[in-house]
Amino acid sequence: MVVDLDAIAANTALLVERAAPAAVMAVVKADAYGHGLVPAARAALAGGATWLGVAQLGEALALRAAGVDARVLCWLWVPGEDVAAAVAAGVDLSASSAQAVEVLADAARAAGRPVRLHLEAETGMGRGGAAPQDWPEAVRAALAAREQGLAELVGTWSHLARADEPGHPSLLLQREAFEQALAVAAELGAAFALRHLANSAALLTDPGTRYDLVRPGIAVYGLSPGEGVGSSEQLGLRPAMALRTRLALVKDVDAGQGVSYGHTYTTERPTRLGLVPLGYADGVPRAASGTGPVAVAGGMTAVAGRVCMDQFVVDLGGLPGAARAAAGDVVELFGSGALGGPTAEDWARASGTIGYEVVARVSARLPRRYTGTAGVPRSDPATDDGQHTGHETSEQGGPGL
Ligand SMILES: *Cc1c(COP(=O)(O)O)cnc(C)c1O
């Protein structure tokens, strides 16, 4: 798997320009949507993001351990986790209830420094966030923590359920509910410095949701948040991840050859089959059996039969380069889409999911290679973390390219 760091920086720069004067928090949860937490975070910062967003405490701490000292917000933790370590590391933390604020206040006491607090309001997503009836109590808990020197009131925020459907009435309703939560907090005397609501889709389509800070994730990696928002190309985004490998075997078979588990594909005429050494354990969706697009042998075909754990088959018959195809030939599952190649969005359509899931599930088993130089520390032994060089490097093994 190859990740283009310059694409991440360029996408971020586009989002920074679009969001201004709001600041940009690049969301790097889930190993930066499969692109690699630290290199992707550094590339997004090089592109002009000033904040990073993560779901889990471990992700925030991994950024700090790598020496990333930008503002980091972590919004999903559970009581019993080592929240104090995150407070000590200067990570901003979210709370969705008075009880959660109290856990953070205790952590601040243990860490010996105030927690930088963001309160999440339920505005219609029906997921995290304090419901309207619980919001005043959460705000009061935040005020009490501040009075004791245990919290800084940094942000009030919420999340949109249907931003990928531009113009959907729920967007306005959520904004009204958010304004209401802000008004209640203000009435209670809580002055949070930052308001944030927008994800990629909202940032790109609904200026009224931008407030002081926006939280794009998928667009940073060059994918569209959804068909209603437009394709990556229409949005001016460059998909940063490419998934390529090499054929492990090419062989001739007769007509009537059943292919892969369950024989859901049978050759109609004598043909050549190519064996692709990637499977669902590598993140190739099994739901793309029979449908996932593949560029190989000078043309495009689809997965033939079922995707297995480590491999799948393509029928090379009829492809321009079929006669010359050989083990070792490059196979592209998805990439930037330039020159008409398949994209992660095509794989999403082929397997009934979203581009987010296609890239986020590319497995850690596949070696990663980085191209581009955005955010790459100079080869100064004091700063080089050894994770990547920013140049094409040969891989330590495994079938990914
Ligand atoms: C994942 C996430 C985002 C980013 O959403 P995208 O659709 O990828 O832009 C923003 N905010 C929160 C709270 C999230 O969980």
Side-chain angles (χ1 to χ4, degrees):
M1 188 249 281
V2 187
V3 175
D4 180 353
L5 296 170
D6 291 345
I8 292 177
N11 295 329
T12 307
L14 181 144
L15 299 171
V16 165
E17 192 186 312
R18 201 64 72 79
V24 171
M25 173 189 294
V27 177
V28 293
K29 64 190 179 190
D31 206 16
Y33 293 45
H35 294 67
L37 175 68
V38 171
R42 289 199 173 119
L45 292 169
T50 48
W51 285 73
L52 298 169
V54 295
Q56 301 177 353
L57 293 174
E59 298 172 328
L61 293 174
L63 286 167
R64 288 290 184 257
V68 175
D69 57 9
R71 291 273 173 240
V72 176
L73 171 62
C74 172
W75 53 73
L76 193 60
W77 51 271
V78 290
E81 285 189 279
D82 190 0
V83 188
V87 177
V91 171
D92 288 43
L93 291 155
S94 177
S96 290
S97 67
Q99 182 220 4
V101 171
E102 280 151 25
V103 173
L104 292 182
D106 286 345
R109 201 175 282 115
R113 67 187 274 186
V115 58
R116 292 176 46 88
L117 177 65
H118 297 239
L119 272 194
E120 182 186 2
E122 165 67 81
T123 60
M125 173 74 177
R127 196 175 72 175
Q133 72 277 12
D134 303 323
W135 178 249
E137 193 194 348
V139 173
R140 284 195 200 95
L143 285 165
R146 190 189 58 181
E147 235 116 87
Q148 298 168 66
L150 297 174
E152 284 174 50
L153 309 191
V154 179
T156 309
W157 71 285
S158 191
H159 195 50
L160 296 167
R162 307 185 73 163
D164 58 338
E165 301 168 69
H168 191 274
S170 69
L171 281 159
L172 201 53
L173 293 175
Q174 283 207 255
R175 252 177 75 192
E176 283 166 8
F178 189 52
E179 294 288 345
Q180 185 60 31
L182 292 168
V184 168
E187 266 165 41
L188 292 171
F192 288 88
L194 299 172
R195 303 159 296 170
H196 49 106
L197 181 61
N199 55 6
S200 297
L203 155 60
L204 291 166
T205 62
D206 191 351
T209 60
R210 290 177 194 153
Y211 292 96
D212 307 307
L213 181 63
V214 294
R215 304 188 308 268
I218 196 74
V220 167
Y221 309 103
L223 299 193
S224 166
E227 285 180 2
V229 181
S231 66
S232 7
E233 198 179 0
Q234 286 164 337
L235 295 168
L237 300 169
R238 267 162 61 191
M241 185 192 290
L243 184 55
R244 298 190 197 100
T245 185
R246 290 181 188 279
L247 288 176
L249 176 72
V250 171
K251 69 179 172 195
D252 294 319
V253 296
D254 290 334
Q257 172 73 56
V259 172
S260 191
Y261 289 122
H263 285 175
T264 58
Y265 180 83
T266 304
T267 58
E268 282 173 4
R269 55 186 81 81
T271 188
R272 314 197 87 180
L273 299 179
L275 183 63
V276 181
L278 296 177
Y280 59 78
D282 302 295
V284 177
R286 188 170 177 276
S289 294
T291 59
V294 180
V296 61
M300 288 268 277
T301 184
V303 175
R306 295 225 173 109
V307 173
C308 309
M309 186 179 285
D310 316 293
Q311 48 192 308
F312 67 85
V313 175
V314 286
D315 186 341
L316 303 170
L319 293 173
R324 295 182 313 278
D329 285 0
V330 172
V331 182
E332 180 167 88
L333 280 72
F334 58 82
S336 72
L339 311 173
T343 63
E345 283 158 18
D346 294 332
W347 274 84
R349 254 189 307 279
S351 56
T353 184
I354 51 178
Y356 295 71
E357 189 178 357
V358 171
V359 290
R361 291 185 67 172
V362 171
S363 156
R365 178 165 90 162
L366 276 184
R368 281 197 193 116
R369 197 155 52 86
Y370 291 94
T371 63
T373 55
V376 176
R378 293 212 191 97
S379 292
D380 165 358
T383 56
D384 194 350
D385 62 6
Q387 289 218 8
H388 58 280
T389 64
H391 302 289
E392 305 238 359
T393 52
S394 63
E395 270 318 317
Q396 61 270 44
L401 268 188

